[in-house]
Amino acid sequence: MLTIFCATNVPPVLIGSVRDLRAVWAAEELNLPYKIEWLDAKAGEHRADWFREYSAFLKFPAINDGGVKLFESAAIVAYLADKARRMIPPPGALERSEHDQWIYMALNTLEPSVFNVFLCDTFWREMAGVGAFRAAFLATARDRLQSLDMVLSKTAYLTGDDFQACDIVMAHVLGFIRDDAILEGLEHLISYRDRCFARAAYQKALAIQTAGKPAGAG
């Protein structure tokens, strides 16, 4: 069975932001049977040497799917969609490249600035000069979010009318935005985010992460 290694005992501000949520969300969307192996992030259980077999950099998430071991959330999302043959075009098709560009865009073009604003608003609030850092990151984020809003003015999801694997990654990146002012005027983007987060699979994955490790669970 598919095992997803997930973080438990994370700071409340990180609920909904830990990237293992992407893997659980994908498994729920795709109706794939899975189990979670919880690792206590506060206690550093993911820093154990044995975990490097699954995650080379000792980060969440990682999976073990009958001997297939992967880390990096977007790679896991794509792998699970390929396994289910749903929510992703087949490898080699032009549509696959068009789909995958949105995963790369989410991670490389958008996430760095959005995530750094999130850090400025949470863990870096007392850091000297944080205001200037935040302003610079915010300017980049707004520029890219405005371009994304233009794309989403023409389509319900990134590749068309159907929710796909790339939307899991993109929507989760948008979840780093905790200050509504950052999305001011970006109505298409707000509607897209809300549409993604309203999905039953997302709501279930979020509830699982919020609850964390149940008594007696591994």
Side-chain angles (χ1 to χ4, degrees):
M1 178 183 287
L2 169 67
T3 298
I4 305 176
F5 296 93
C6 292
T8 192
N9 198 16
V10 298
V13 71
L14 291 179
I15 296 297
S17 296
V18 180
R19 292 171 179 85
D20 54 38
L21 180 62
R22 299 172 185 173
V24 177
W25 184 2
E28 289 290 341
E29 287 281 359
L30 298 163
N31 296 313
L32 294 173
Y34 69 95
K35 66 178 181 179
I36 292 177
E37 183 162 342
W38 296 99
L39 298 177
D40 188 326
K42 188 174 182 180
E45 288 183 349
H46 60 299
R47 294 290 180 181
D49 286 341
W50 69 264
F51 188 49
R52 204 176 293 276
E53 178 182 355
Y54 304 97
S55 180
F57 300 95
L58 302 176
K59 299 291 185 181
F60 298 104
I63 64 168
N64 180 15
D65 185 26
V68 175
K69 302 169 186 177
L70 288 176
F71 59 92
E72 286 296 327
S73 60
I76 291 168
V77 169
Y79 166 79
L80 295 178
D82 277 330
K83 177 179 178 175
R85 298 185 180 181
R86 290 181 50 221
M87 290 176 37
I88 198 166
L94 172 60
E95 292 82 3
R96 179 57 175 268
S97 296
E98 293 171 341
H99 169 278
D100 289 354
Q101 73 181 341
W102 288 111
I103 291 181
Y104 303 138
M105 181 272 172
L107 298 181
N108 297 326
T109 303
L110 182 59
E111 183 170 336
S113 57
V114 169
F115 185 63
N116 279 318
V117 172
F118 170 77
L119 290 176
C120 288
D121 291 345
T122 53
F123 299 106
W124 295 351
R125 284 179 297 179
E126 305 303 320
M127 184 178 71
V130 69
F133 280 114
R134 187 185 191 278
F137 294 136
L138 179 58
T140 300
R142 277 288 300 184
D143 178 70
R144 292 167 185 183
L145 290 166
Q146 287 169 345
S147 294
L148 184 56
D149 184 73
M150 293 175 63
V151 171
L152 291 167
S153 70
K154 303 172 184 177
T155 183
Y157 296 102
L158 295 173
T159 61
D161 293 332
D162 297 324
F163 182 85
Q164 299 226 45
C166 58
D167 294 298
I168 291 176
V169 179
M170 184 68 76
H172 187 268
V173 170
L174 294 175
F176 289 125
I177 299 173
R178 304 296 181 87
D179 180 357
D180 289 343
I182 295 172
L183 296 178
E184 183 177 358
L186 306 180
E187 299 305 322
H188 305 293
L189 186 54
I190 293 169
S191 295
Y192 166 79
R193 179 201 61 185
D194 293 348
R195 198 158 48 245
C196 291
F197 287 169
R199 296 180 68 85
Y202 172 80
Q203 291 296 322
K204 184 173 180 181
L206 179 61
I208 290 169
Q209 187 188 59
T210 301
K213 180 180 178 178

